[in-house]
Amino acid sequence: MKIETILSDLMKIMSVSGFENEMCEQIERMMCSFCDTVEINRFNSVICHKKSKNPHAEKIMIEAHLDQIGLMVKEFDEKGHIKFISVGGIDKRILPGSEVLISGKENVYGVIGSKPPHLKEKADKDKMPDIDELLIDTGYTKVALEEKISIGDSIVLKSVFNRLVGDNYCGKALDNRAGMAAVIAAATEISDSPYEIYYVFTSEEELGLHGAYSAAKEIKPDYAIVVDVTHGKTIDTENEAGVFELGCGAVICRGPSLNCEVSQKLVDISERAKIKYDIEVASGHSGTNAWVIQKAWGSCKTGLVSIPLKYMHTSVEMINISDIKEVSRLLSEVLKGGLDNA
């Protein structure tokens, strides 16, 4: 299955943290052909189990989070405008002028309006409004709107998944649709493994890594490889550390919160299999599910592999397909026994 096709299918689905049901069902459909069992657990994470022929095989967890940042309906004013709150770390700078889709009894289109600069006081022209000062306008009256949506419904920024020049693609929620696509593509390549494999797609990462912690406690893996995104180099970050060129390949993280042996083996595997890679360092919290998985039950050797992504937590996140392919190749090599052979 082509990664571009996998990614396109995933990008069609709204999956705001806490509202992941539709994405869970999609993953269940996509993974059932490659695994022995697929289960949606009580925390809305999807656990896909591929059994090993070896009854004493060690367990390996390959994880990517399936939720995305978004908004949520807070209340309606008397004219039918919607007040909202954020779900996850959305970049409030991009909100004024954005198009949105509200997931209610039906999907309702709206726009986040903003006061024209011509009508602002001079002192306020450059001021960034807070979220509680913004409103969504759908054109509906309050009465008509209340028939379609409810307080607490989820909202996503409207965005089109587009191909740009070369292998660059742009759209919302590539954090972490890109990581999910890498995991799914790797799963299609594995017919047999010396490991007991758990492909896990976790909920509520954007709210505090919740789904990964509960899934790891449930599975109790010996190893875990977390797949997420990291910061891609942009024109305004060219001189900063910790950002990576799109097209650099798999970004392997090293640091004291990750297992040194696993991190080094990921590097060794990449060099042996001629997989493009770069190195990221994290002195403490990596900002990913690796942080909670490695301590969820006390003895999981955890590694972190990331995909460079520009414009994180906006509606125009950008990735390069070649990086997803390199991460997928690395995962395949790991699952074929790479951690034992490196």
Side-chain angles (χ1 to χ4, degrees), residues 94-221:
I94 68 165
L95 292 177
S98 292
E99 301 174 88
V100 299
L101 282 175
I102 306 150
S103 181
K105 298 180 183 70
E106 59 184 84
N107 288 341
V108 176
Y109 172 83
V111 295
I112 301 177
S114 106
K115 192 173 186 179
H118 319 68
L119 304 180
K120 287 185 177 181
E121 298 293 334
K122 187 175 181 180
D124 294 333
K125 285 198 174 186
D126 296 324
K127 182 184 174 185
M128 179 60 59
D130 290 327
I131 285 181
D132 58 10
E133 299 176 286
L134 297 171
L135 295 168
I136 295 172
D137 191 342
T138 67
Y140 287 108
T141 64
K142 182 182 180 184
V143 172
L145 198 59
E146 287 177 327
E147 293 177 355
K148 298 177 181 296
I149 62 174
S150 304
I151 304 300
D153 284 344
S154 66
I155 307 167
V156 296
L157 300 183
K158 192 172 183 294
S159 175
V160 177
F161 181 52
N162 278 323
R163 183 172 186 172
L164 304 177
V165 175
D167 286 332
N168 293 319
Y169 284 77
C170 181
K172 70 177 186 301
L174 284 163
D175 171 12
N176 189 30
R177 305 293 192 264
M180 294 170 67
V183 174
I184 294 167
T188 67
E189 298 295 320
I190 303 301
S191 58
D192 190 26
S193 173
Y195 305 115
E196 197 83 359
I197 303 173
Y198 292 84
Y199 304 104
V200 185
F201 302 86
T202 58
S203 62
E204 297 193 18
E205 189 269 355
E206 300 291 357
L207 297 184
L209 320 180
H210 301 153
Y213 182 79
S214 62
K217 287 199 76 170
E218 181 178 341
I219 296 166
K220 295 181 171 58

Side-chain angles (χ1 to χ4, degrees), residues 309-328:
L309 175 139
K310 291 184 179 182
Y311 320 124
M312 194 177 293
H313 286 194
T314 73
S315 57
V316 290
E317 294 177 338
M318 188 185 301
I319 51 90
N320 189 288
I321 287 288
S322 68
D323 295 324
I324 301 178
K325 291 178 179 177
E326 294 299 274
V327 170
S328 183

Side-chain angles (χ1 to χ4, degrees), residues 58-100:
E58 292 184 299
K59 297 178 183 177
I60 186 167
M61 176 176 171
I62 306 294
E63 186 275 341
H65 72 86
L66 54 72
D67 61 317
Q68 68 185 88
I69 58 165
L71 308 167
M72 190 164 66
V73 177
K74 181 181 179 181
E75 60 181 279
F76 310 115
D77 71 12
E78 289 305 312
K79 294 186 177 180
H81 299 124
I82 299 168
K83 297 182 180 181
F84 59 90
I85 58 174
S86 65
V87 180
I90 202 160
D91 188 341
K92 71 176 185 179
R93 297 173 300 171
I94 68 165
L95 292 177
S98 292
E99 301 174 88
V100 299

